[in-house]
Amino acid sequence: KINFFHIKMSKKYFVILGLFLAAGFLFLNGYSAKAATITSEAAGGAWAATTTWVGGVVPVAGDGVVIATTGSNQVTLDAAASIASTTINSGATLSGAGYTLTLSGSGTPLVVTGTFSNPSTVTYTGTSATNVAAISYGAVNFNGAATYTLSGNTTATSTATIASGATLSGAGYTLTLSGSGTPFSKSNGT
């Protein structure tokens, strides 16, 4: 009959066991999902298709996205998408196709050196100083408690909305609203 409480183990084994337990505790408690940078394939495709993205991973909230299509190829939003940021490379195309693109990053979450066609709605939700890409938007929303600064003359062909807590700075540039009805809405923002 073995009594496990009376087995003498060397101090060395207790130290090793303690280190393994501590490492496991730190790993499990300190682990958090890290945002990734997801790059499109040159051939492009539908946003939600795994074949559109290098490595077969569709971007999710918190990810940075690089649109790297070539020629007449493009990435097309096929549903609303929420990510931290996107860069549309020179020669590349992202088509909004009537869907909303929400950008949660601060700094410069939208860089367009290629083409952003049919941008429909872009919603900025950064929580600190954010630069606004100087492009033609369908609608543009400023929803985070931050200061959003135009980086050049900008157009919204539908609406522009400044939510409570948000501030829009023209910084010497013009935001042109060409929508009909009520193209500008401010909900306690500035």
Side-chain angles (χ1 to χ4, degrees):
K1 189 171 171 185
I2 298 176
N3 185 343
F4 288 101
F5 294 105
H6 288 100
I7 295 177
K8 291 188 177 184
M9 297 181 99
S10 74
K11 197 179 214 183
K12 175 177 151 186
Y13 291 114
F14 280 114
V15 170
I16 291 171
L17 178 62
L19 288 173
F20 276 117
L21 291 173
F25 176 78
L26 290 173
F27 174 75
L28 291 175
N29 285 321
Y31 178 78
S32 61
K34 303 292 182 199
T37 299
I38 309 294
T39 302
S40 74
E41 296 281 356
W47 184 279
T50 57
T51 55
T52 301
W53 307 102
V54 173
V57 177
V58 176
V60 295
D63 286 341
V65 172
V66 176
I67 305 299
T69 57
T70 57
S72 62
N73 298 322
Q74 66 183 12
V75 172
T76 303
L77 286 175
D78 52 354
S82 293
I83 55 175
S85 62
T86 191
T87 298
I88 304 170
N89 287 348
S90 178
T93 302
L94 172 63
S95 173
Y99 292 99
T100 299
L101 178 64
T102 300
L103 303 169
S104 63
S106 297
T108 306
L110 178 58
V111 176
V112 181
T113 56
T115 303
F116 191 4
S117 65
N118 305 315
S120 46
T121 301
V122 175
T123 300
Y124 289 90
T125 62
T127 57
S128 62
T130 302
N131 298 313
V132 177
I135 63 171
S136 179
Y137 298 88
V140 61
N141 302 314
F142 307 102
N143 288 355
T147 296
Y148 300 92
T149 304
L150 298 181
S151 59
N153 292 329
T154 304
T155 301
T157 60
S158 177
T159 61
T161 302
I162 303 172
S164 179
T167 300
L168 179 62
S169 170
Y173 296 107
T174 302
L175 173 60
T176 302
L177 305 173
S178 60
S180 60
T182 306
F184 180 73
S185 172
K186 181 179 88 65
S187 174
N188 294 326
T190 54

